[in-house]
Amino acid sequence: MPTDSPIRPDPLPLPARPGEGRTDLVGLSRDALRAALIAAGTPEKQARMRTAQLWQWIYQKGARDFAAMTNLAKPYRALLAEHFTIGRPELVTRQVSADGTRKYLLRVAGGHEVEVVYIPETDRGTLCVSSQVGCTLTCSFCHTGTQKLVRNLTAGEIVGQIMLARDDLGDWLRPGEGMGERPRLISNIVLMGMGEPLYNFDAVRDAMRIAMDGEGIGLSRRRITLSTSGVVPEIARAGREIGCMLAVSLHATTDAVRDKLVPINKRWNIAALLEALRAYPKLSNSERITFEYVMLRGVNDSDEDARRLIRLIDGIPAKINLIPFNEWPGAPYQRSSNRRIRAFADILYKAGYATPIRTPRGEDIMAACGQLKSATERARKSKREIEREAGPQAP
Ligand code: SAH
Ligand code: SF4
């Protein structure tokens, strides 16, 4: 049974409320932080070192209060506290699934809400992070796509999701401990929560650079996966400026079906998408692209689809992630049967593709892929609107 526990009050003193005129340091790029420190009176010669020290306190030790930063002189700590804060998104609720999955509902500036999901596995712990409140795209099988309210998250709000999960999991470096000494609970990050990350490029890039930086959150870029619905012009830029692993929501093998499932296909079709992927600069045998493929009964799950998929992605080092459709109230599709999913996977496997079938996690708390949608976001499309967008394919 899910445990629906309201979050306990934070025992740490909050350094400041937003709007008190101090700058929140979370999410600032190294250059921006350095400039902010100099503007606040840090001698230029020291600024680089202070930036590194602050990053370690903020992103590795989880410090919330400048007073705790014992390797900085007391008057300097006071100067920092005068000008800056170290913020967090506000935690609204935290749910724990029977399978250990945790779903956090966070409130960000303006009262908007986003969801973050932590998925523990035997060999890793993955945090599924959101990039936007809602999503401007309207994929017909995705709950987030029915949410009307949308705003981009800031870099601080994106990194803040990781930090808040680390607070909850007690996943910060312990006193005296070095980076890499102990496996961390959050070992992987996937940008697969709410939103289309490539439509919030700059904030996602800045946040992921902090996540990948050895003095920041400190995860290897191979442990960070950005999932896109196929914003073709931004794919090469993501390779150049972020350089993390890429997952692509393909979900169909013909343009006619993909137009219905992932409407951005009308703008950039399958051929254009695959061309961008072939050129993804980081592409190599060791850096496969993950193709995500949601299994929808009678829509995209035939043997013929599987064979067409193999032909389409021929030549691209790839892994295919089959996602059994996660249902949500009013959804116009059904999940393919297990037998169908296995038969589909088998065809791909015989063609040489690693084809993990994603086990739905946290179903009892609606934490599974594509089910995220802020609970208080009541303005939603009607069932009829969803069905109209889904078109005649829907069962
Ligand atoms: N906007 C990005 C990332 C977020 S969605 C994208 O679309 O890629 C993460 C993955 O979950 C995507 O592959 C998405 O298509 C898939 N998804 C969305 N709704 C789903 C559902 N109801 N069941 C299963 N997968 C779903
Ligand atoms: Fe947006 Fe991704 Fe959902 Fe499509 S699948 S509506 S792009 S979050």
Side-chain angles (χ1 to χ4, degrees):
M1 285 301 288
T3 328
D4 199 349
S5 52
I7 212 61
R8 43 189 187 281
D10 195 322
L12 298 168
L14 284 173
R17 288 176 184 285
E20 279 187 349
R22 289 182 279 177
T23 305
D24 187 353
L25 296 184
V26 176
L28 294 189
S29 66
R30 268 177 188 275
D31 286 349
L33 176 54
R34 189 168 166 273
L37 293 180
I38 292 170
T42 306
E44 262 197 72
K45 273 193 186 151
Q46 295 178 10
R48 189 170 301 278
M49 185 175 76
R50 298 287 175 239
T51 300
Q53 287 172 318
L54 273 164
W55 265 35
Q56 288 167 0
W57 279 110
I58 296 173
Y59 298 118
Q60 299 186 353
K61 299 177 183 154
R64 302 280 301 273
D65 189 348
F66 296 104
M69 301 183 178
T70 43
N71 59 352
L72 301 177
K74 261 196 180 158
Y76 188 62
R77 289 185 238 162
L79 176 88
L80 292 173
E82 218 176 281
H83 290 87
F84 304 115
T85 64
I86 303 167
R88 290 285 191 278
E90 182 192 339
L91 186 44
V92 182
T93 56
R94 162 186 178 272
Q95 289 171 281
V96 182
S97 158
D99 69 12
T101 301
R102 295 177 183 213
K103 181 167 86 170
Y104 307 99
L105 179 67
L106 312 184
R107 190 173 293 133
V108 294
H112 303 301
E113 292 177 348
V114 286
E115 290 180 327
V116 191
V117 177
Y118 174 69
I119 306 149
E121 289 173 274
T122 41
D123 60 338
R124 73 179 82 179
T126 303
L127 194 70
C128 180
V129 169
S130 293
S131 56
Q132 298 180 308
V133 176
C135 186
T136 52
L137 300 173
T138 53
C139 302
S140 51
F141 55 90
C142 173
H143 206 197
T144 309
T146 67
Q147 183 170 326
K148 282 182 174 159
L149 186 68
V150 178
R151 98 154 156 77
N152 276 337
L153 294 175
T154 64
E157 289 162 348
I158 298 170
V159 187
Q161 298 170 49
I162 308 170
M163 299 173 77
L164 201 132
R166 273 193 169 170
D167 287 343
D168 181 57
L169 295 163
D171 197 28
W172 296 110
L173 279 192
R174 296 169 189 150
E177 191 177 46
M179 288 288 276
E181 274 180 28
R182 162 179 65 98
R184 309 297 285 278
L185 292 172
I186 299 175
S187 62
N188 292 61
I189 290 175
V190 293
L191 278 153
M192 294 186 186
M194 298 162 74
E196 167 49 58
L198 295 186
Y199 273 150
N200 185 13
F201 193 95
D202 291 2
V204 165
R205 177 200 54 211
D206 290 353
M208 291 308 110
R209 283 187 178 168
I210 293 172
M212 291 185 285
D213 195 298
E215 280 165 349
I217 300 285
L219 297 176
S220 129
R221 66 190 182 85
R222 289 169 185 277
R223 291 181 171 272
I224 297 181
T225 303
L226 183 153
S227 173
T228 180
S229 59
V231 186
V232 164
E234 303 290 356
I235 287 178
R237 194 174 159 213
R240 280 194 308 271
E241 297 184 26
I242 308 175
C244 61
M245 306 300 280
L246 189 66
V248 177
S249 296
L250 189 63
H251 302 320
T253 59
T254 64
D255 282 323
V257 175
R258 195 161 190 269
D259 281 351
K260 303 245 162 60
L261 299 181
V262 189
I264 201 176
N265 196 66
K266 293 181 206 155
R267 184 116 184 246
W268 296 289
N269 65 13
I270 295 178
L273 175 59
L274 292 174
E275 197 184 309
L277 296 178
R278 283 180 207 283
Y280 189 68
K282 299 284 165 187
L283 205 59
S284 76
N285 278 326
S286 58
E287 291 201 31
R288 293 177 298 177
I289 285 180
T290 300
F291 286 95
E292 295 162 284
Y293 199 95
V294 63
M295 297 298 289
L296 304 170
R297 180 179 297 178
V299 175
N300 63 355
D301 63 352
S302 68
D303 287 355
E304 205 190 334
D305 277 305
R307 286 192 286 267
R308 220 173 1 237
L309 177 56
I310 293 164
R311 285 198 297 276
L312 279 175
I313 66 174
D314 185 40
I316 302 179
K319 168 171 118 180
I320 302 159
N321 202 334
L322 297 181
I323 317 175
F325 174 58
N326 295 309
E327 297 185 4
W328 38 272
Y333 300 105
Q334 288 161 351
R335 181 182 289 187
S336 309
S337 70
N338 288 343
R339 255 183 74 199
R340 183 89 294 273
I341 297 175
R342 273 199 303 275
F344 195 97
D346 207 43
I347 294 174
L348 301 174
Y349 181 74
K350 287 198 176 116
Y353 289 101
T355 314
I357 299 171
R358 197 181 289 172
T359 321
R361 297 288 303 266
E363 282 187 300
D364 51 353
I365 54 170
M366 287 275 287
C369 241
Q371 290 185 324
L372 303 187
K373 181 172 183 290
S374 117
T376 56
E377 169 37 68
R378 294 190 202 288
R380 54 164 300 172
K381 291 175 191 166
S382 68
K383 195 170 175 203
R384 202 187 304 142
E385 274 177 285
I386 296 165
E387 274 165 2
R388 199 170 43 236
E389 273 162 21
Q393 307 280 342

